[in-house]
Amino acid sequence: MKQSSNKKVNSLSPQFTVTNKKSDFVLFVIAFFFLEIANLILIWESEKYFIAGIVVAVLIFCIIGAIMLSMYTFVLRVNGTEISGRTALGKRFRFDKSEIINTRYQHYRATYRSCARTILTIETADLEIGIDSAMVGYQELVRYLGKPNKRKANKGNNQKK
């Protein structure tokens, strides 16, 4: 006899997360180590470029570290009609789906690759979030939001007197 599952799936209350791929993060770590190793070899082999090599090492560490940190900190969570998360700079946000004023899709074609990318921009009254099509959970977010649209914010304030 087949038993039915006791889990109740509520299709009206979607729950998912949009984040950067962990493989992209790993690629930046690998690139960082290769650049730092090459720089350390340059410093070791050439004494007259020692100070310049140290400066370049610190710059590489700061730039790639900032990129990796921003990739790691961005997260967008959808729980029912509530959308919350953290921007790449670490600022937390929370808004309802009904507060979205505009969604737009911008298509880019990479010149060095044959693949195309899409950036989904979500606008509210005080926030604009860009979501890359390469992120994990992007397709679920597109299905959740539906077609691009423009809505008037604060409809009550737009009335003529």
Side-chain angles (χ1 to χ4, degrees):
M1 182 190 285
K2 196 174 188 180
Q3 292 181 343
S4 63
S5 175
N6 289 335
K7 290 183 180 179
K8 292 183 179 180
V9 178
N10 187 355
S11 62
L12 299 177
S13 180
Q15 294 181 347
F16 59 91
T17 302
V18 179
T19 60
N20 284 298
K21 291 180 181 177
K22 300 303 178 201
S23 61
D24 291 345
F25 185 72
V26 171
L27 289 175
F28 268 99
V29 170
I30 292 170
F32 167 73
F33 280 118
F34 277 122
L35 287 172
E36 287 296 331
I37 289 170
N39 192 35
L40 290 174
I41 291 171
L42 177 67
I43 292 170
W44 187 310
E45 293 296 323
S46 176
E47 291 179 10
K48 70 179 186 176
Y49 296 116
F50 182 76
I51 299 295
I54 296 296
V55 170
V56 169
V58 170
L59 286 174
I60 290 171
F61 178 77
C62 291
I63 292 170
I64 292 186
I67 291 169
M68 290 187 321
L69 187 62
S70 69
M71 287 176 63
Y72 185 72
T73 58
F74 180 84
V75 65
L76 184 133
R77 292 181 187 89
V78 174
N79 188 4
T81 61
E82 182 181 272
I83 301 171
S84 63
R86 191 174 53 229
T87 64
L89 296 176
K91 179 183 174 187
R92 294 187 183 275
F93 60 87
R94 179 171 293 180
F95 57 90
D96 194 75
K97 183 179 177 181
S98 63
E99 295 177 34
I100 296 175
I101 297 170
N102 184 16
T103 57
R104 66 179 182 274
Y105 298 89
Q106 298 167 324
H107 301 284
Y108 297 99
R109 186 131 189 107
T111 56
Y112 58 95
R113 293 185 193 165
S114 61
C115 64
R117 295 176 72 179
T118 302
I119 305 293
L120 165 63
T121 305
I122 301 170
E123 293 178 31
T124 64
D126 57 348
L127 184 65
E128 186 172 304
I129 304 167
I131 313 291
D132 193 336
S133 60
M135 291 181 171
V136 176
Y138 175 82
Q139 292 299 327
E140 289 176 298
L141 184 63
V142 168
R143 283 192 298 272
Y144 174 74
L145 293 175
K147 294 182 179 181
N149 60 1
K150 283 190 176 181
R151 298 182 208 151
K152 290 184 179 178
N154 301 327
K155 292 181 182 177
N157 296 336
N158 293 336
Q159 297 175 353
K160 292 183 180 179
K161 292 182 179 181

Coordinates of all heavy atoms in Angstrom, one line a residue, residues 81 83 95-105 120-127 141-156 158:
T81 N 5.0 36.8 0.3 CA 5.1 38.0 -0.4 C 6.2 38.9 0.1 O 6.4 40.0 -0.4 CB 3.7 38.8 -0.3 OG1 3.5 39.1 1.1 CG2 2.6 38.0 -0.9
I83 N 10.0 40.0 0.7 CA 11.3 39.9 0.0 C 12.3 40.6 1.0 O 12.1 41.7 1.3 CB 11.4 40.5 -1.4 CG1 10.4 39.8 -2.3 CG2 12.8 40.4 -2.0 CD1 10.2 40.5 -3.6
F95 N 11.1 44.3 2.1 CA 9.9 44.9 1.5 C 8.9 43.9 1.0 O 9.3 42.7 0.9 CB 10.3 45.9 0.3 CG 11.0 45.2 -0.8 CD1 10.4 44.6 -1.9 CD2 12.4 45.2 -0.8 CE1 11.1 44.0 -2.9 CE2 13.1 44.6 -1.8 CZ 12.5 44.0 -2.9
D96 N 7.7 44.3 0.8 CA 6.7 43.4 0.3 C 6.6 43.4 -1.2 O 7.0 44.4 -1.8 CB 5.3 43.8 0.9 CG 4.3 42.8 0.7 OD1 4.3 41.7 1.5 OD2 3.4 42.9 -0.2
K97 N 6.1 42.3 -1.8 CA 6.1 42.3 -3.3 C 5.2 43.4 -3.8 O 5.5 43.9 -4.9 CB 5.5 40.9 -3.7 CG 5.4 40.7 -5.2 CD 4.9 39.3 -5.5 CE 4.8 39.2 -7.0 NZ 4.2 37.9 -7.4
S98 N 4.2 43.8 -3.1 CA 3.3 44.9 -3.6 C 4.0 46.3 -3.6 O 3.5 47.2 -4.3 CB 2.1 45.0 -2.7 OG 2.5 45.3 -1.3
E99 N 5.2 46.4 -2.9 CA 5.9 47.7 -2.9 C 6.8 47.8 -4.1 O 7.4 48.9 -4.3 CB 6.8 47.8 -1.7 CG 6.0 47.8 -0.4 CD 6.9 47.9 0.8 OE1 8.0 48.5 0.8 OE2 6.5 47.3 1.9
I100 N 6.9 46.8 -5.0 CA 7.8 46.9 -6.2 C 7.1 47.8 -7.2 O 6.0 47.7 -7.6 CB 8.0 45.5 -6.8 CG1 8.7 44.6 -5.8 CG2 8.7 45.6 -8.1 CD1 8.9 43.2 -6.3
I101 N 7.9 48.9 -7.6 CA 7.4 49.9 -8.5 C 7.7 49.4 -9.9 O 6.9 49.6 -10.8 CB 8.1 51.2 -8.2 CG1 7.7 51.7 -6.9 CG2 7.7 52.2 -9.3 CD1 8.5 52.9 -6.4
N102 N 8.9 48.9 -10.2 CA 9.3 48.6 -11.5 C 10.2 47.4 -11.5 O 11.1 47.2 -10.6 CB 10.0 49.8 -12.1 CG 10.4 49.6 -13.6 OD1 9.9 48.7 -14.3 ND2 11.3 50.4 -14.1
T103 N 10.1 46.5 -12.5 CA 11.0 45.4 -12.8 C 11.4 45.5 -14.2 O 10.5 45.7 -15.1 CB 10.5 44.0 -12.5 OG1 9.3 43.8 -13.3 CG2 10.1 43.9 -11.0
R104 N 12.7 45.4 -14.5 CA 13.1 45.5 -15.9 C 14.3 44.5 -16.1 O 15.0 44.2 -15.2 CB 13.5 46.9 -16.3 CG 14.7 47.4 -15.7 CD 15.1 48.8 -16.2 NE 16.2 49.3 -15.5 CZ 16.3 50.0 -14.4 NH1 15.2 50.2 -13.7 NH2 17.4 50.4 -13.9
Y105 N 14.3 44.0 -17.3 CA 15.3 43.0 -17.7 C 16.2 43.6 -18.8 O 15.8 44.2 -19.8 CB 14.7 41.8 -18.3 CG 13.8 41.0 -17.4 CD1 12.4 41.3 -17.2 CD2 14.3 40.0 -16.6 CE1 11.6 40.7 -16.3 CE2 13.5 39.3 -15.7 CZ 12.1 39.7 -15.6 OH 11.4 39.0 -14.7
L120 N 18.3 41.4 -14.0 CA 16.9 41.8 -13.5 C 17.1 42.9 -12.5 O 17.8 42.7 -11.5 CB 16.2 40.6 -12.9 CG 14.9 40.9 -12.1 CD1 13.9 41.5 -13.0 CD2 14.4 39.6 -11.5
T121 N 16.5 44.0 -12.7 CA 16.5 45.1 -11.8 C 15.1 45.3 -11.1 O 14.1 45.4 -11.8 CB 16.9 46.4 -12.4 OG1 18.1 46.2 -13.1 CG2 17.1 47.6 -11.4
I122 N 15.1 45.2 -9.8 CA 13.9 45.4 -9.0 C 14.0 46.8 -8.3 O 14.9 47.1 -7.6 CB 13.7 44.3 -7.9 CG1 13.7 42.9 -8.6 CG2 12.5 44.5 -7.1 CD1 13.9 41.8 -7.6
E123 N 12.9 47.6 -8.5 CA 12.9 48.9 -7.9 C 11.8 49.1 -7.0 O 10.6 48.7 -7.3 CB 12.8 50.0 -9.0 CG 14.0 50.1 -9.9 CD 13.7 51.2 -11.0 OE1 13.0 52.2 -10.7 OE2 14.3 51.0 -12.1
T124 N 12.0 49.6 -5.8 CA 11.0 50.0 -4.9 C 11.2 51.5 -4.7 O 12.0 52.1 -5.3 CB 11.1 49.3 -3.5 OG1 12.4 49.7 -2.9 CG2 11.1 47.8 -3.7
A125 N 10.4 52.1 -3.8 CA 10.5 53.5 -3.5 C 11.9 54.0 -3.1 O 12.3 55.1 -3.5 CB 9.4 53.9 -2.5
D126 N 12.6 53.2 -2.3 CA 13.9 53.6 -1.8 C 15.0 52.6 -2.0 O 16.1 52.8 -1.4 CB 13.7 53.8 -0.3 CG 13.3 52.6 0.5 OD1 12.8 51.7 -0.2 OD2 13.3 52.6 1.7
L127 N 14.8 51.6 -2.9 CA 15.9 50.6 -3.2 C 15.8 50.1 -4.6 O 14.8 50.1 -5.2 CB 15.6 49.5 -2.2 CG 16.6 48.3 -2.2 CD1 17.9 48.8 -1.7 CD2 16.1 47.2 -1.3
L141 N 13.0 33.4 -9.1 CA 12.7 34.8 -8.9 C 11.9 35.4 -10.1 O 10.9 36.1 -9.9 CB 13.9 35.7 -8.6 CG 13.7 37.1 -8.2 CD1 12.8 37.3 -7.0 CD2 15.0 37.9 -8.1
V142 N 12.4 35.0 -11.3 CA 11.7 35.5 -12.5 C 10.3 35.0 -12.6 O 9.3 35.7 -12.9 CB 12.5 35.1 -13.8 CG1 11.7 35.3 -15.0 CG2 13.8 35.9 -13.8
R143 N 10.1 33.7 -12.3 CA 8.8 33.1 -12.2 C 7.9 33.8 -11.2 O 6.7 34.0 -11.4 CB 8.8 31.6 -12.0 CG 9.2 30.8 -13.3 CD 9.0 29.3 -13.1 NE 9.8 28.8 -12.0 CZ 11.1 28.3 -12.1 NH1 11.6 28.4 -13.3 NH2 11.7 27.8 -11.1
Y144 N 8.5 34.1 -10.0 CA 7.8 34.7 -8.9 C 7.3 36.1 -9.3 O 6.2 36.4 -9.0 CB 8.7 34.7 -7.7 CG 8.1 35.4 -6.5 CD1 7.1 34.9 -5.7 CD2 8.6 36.7 -6.1 CE1 6.6 35.5 -4.6 CE2 8.1 37.3 -5.0 CZ 7.1 36.8 -4.3 OH 6.6 37.4 -3.2
L145 N 8.2 36.9 -9.9 CA 7.8 38.3 -10.2 C 6.9 38.4 -11.5 O 6.2 39.3 -11.6 CB 9.1 39.1 -10.4 CG 9.9 39.3 -9.1 CD1 11.2 40.0 -9.5 CD2 9.1 40.0 -8.1
G146 N 7.0 37.4 -12.4 CA 6.3 37.5 -13.6 C 6.9 38.4 -14.6 O 8.1 38.7 -14.6
K147 N 6.1 39.0 -15.5 CA 6.5 39.9 -16.6 C 7.0 41.2 -16.0 O 6.5 41.7 -15.0 CB 5.4 40.1 -17.6 CG 5.0 38.9 -18.3 CD 3.9 39.2 -19.3 CE 3.6 37.9 -20.1 NZ 2.5 38.2 -21.1
P148 N 7.9 41.9 -16.7 CA 8.4 43.2 -16.3 C 7.2 44.2 -16.3 O 6.3 44.1 -17.2 CB 9.4 43.6 -17.3 CG 9.6 42.5 -18.2 CD 8.6 41.4 -17.9
N149 N 7.2 45.1 -15.3 CA 6.0 46.0 -15.3 C 6.5 47.3 -14.6 O 7.5 47.3 -13.9 CB 4.9 45.4 -14.5 CG 5.2 45.0 -13.1 OD1 6.4 45.2 -12.6 ND2 4.3 44.5 -12.4
K150 N 5.6 48.3 -14.8 CA 5.8 49.5 -14.1 C 4.5 49.8 -13.3 O 3.4 49.8 -13.9 CB 6.1 50.7 -15.0 CG 7.5 50.7 -15.5 CD 7.8 52.0 -16.3 CE 9.2 52.0 -16.7 NZ 9.5 53.3 -17.4
R151 N 4.6 50.1 -12.1 CA 3.5 50.5 -11.3 C 3.7 51.8 -10.7 O 4.8 52.2 -10.4 CB 3.3 49.5 -10.1 CG 3.0 48.1 -10.6 CD 2.8 47.2 -9.4 NE 3.2 45.9 -9.8 CZ 3.7 45.0 -8.9 NH1 3.8 45.2 -7.7 NH2 4.0 43.8 -9.4
K152 N 2.6 52.6 -10.4 CA 2.8 53.9 -9.8 C 2.9 53.7 -8.3 O 2.1 52.9 -7.7 CB 1.6 54.7 -10.1 CG 1.5 55.2 -11.6 CD 0.3 56.1 -11.8 CE 0.3 56.5 -13.2 NZ -0.9 57.4 -13.5
A153 N 3.9 54.3 -7.7 CA 4.1 54.3 -6.3 C 3.1 55.3 -5.6 O 2.9 56.4 -6.1 CB 5.5 54.6 -6.0
N154 N 2.6 54.9 -4.5 CA 1.8 55.8 -3.7 C 0.6 56.4 -4.5 O 0.6 57.6 -4.8 CB 2.6 56.9 -3.0 CG 3.7 56.4 -2.2 OD1 3.5 55.3 -1.6 ND2 4.8 57.1 -2.1
K155 N -0.2 55.5 -5.0 CA -1.3 55.9 -5.9 C -2.2 57.0 -5.3 O -2.7 57.9 -6.0 CB -2.2 54.8 -6.3 CG -1.5 53.7 -7.2 CD -2.4 52.6 -7.5 CE -1.6 51.6 -8.3 NZ -2.4 50.4 -8.6
G156 N -2.3 57.0 -4.0 CA -3.1 58.1 -3.4 C -2.5 59.5 -3.4 O -3.2 60.5 -3.4
N158 N -0.8 60.7 -6.0 CA -0.7 61.1 -7.4 C -2.0 61.8 -7.9 O -2.1 62.2 -9.1 CB -0.4 60.0 -8.3 CG 1.0 59.5 -8.0 OD1 1.9 60.2 -7.5 ND2 1.3 58.2 -8.4

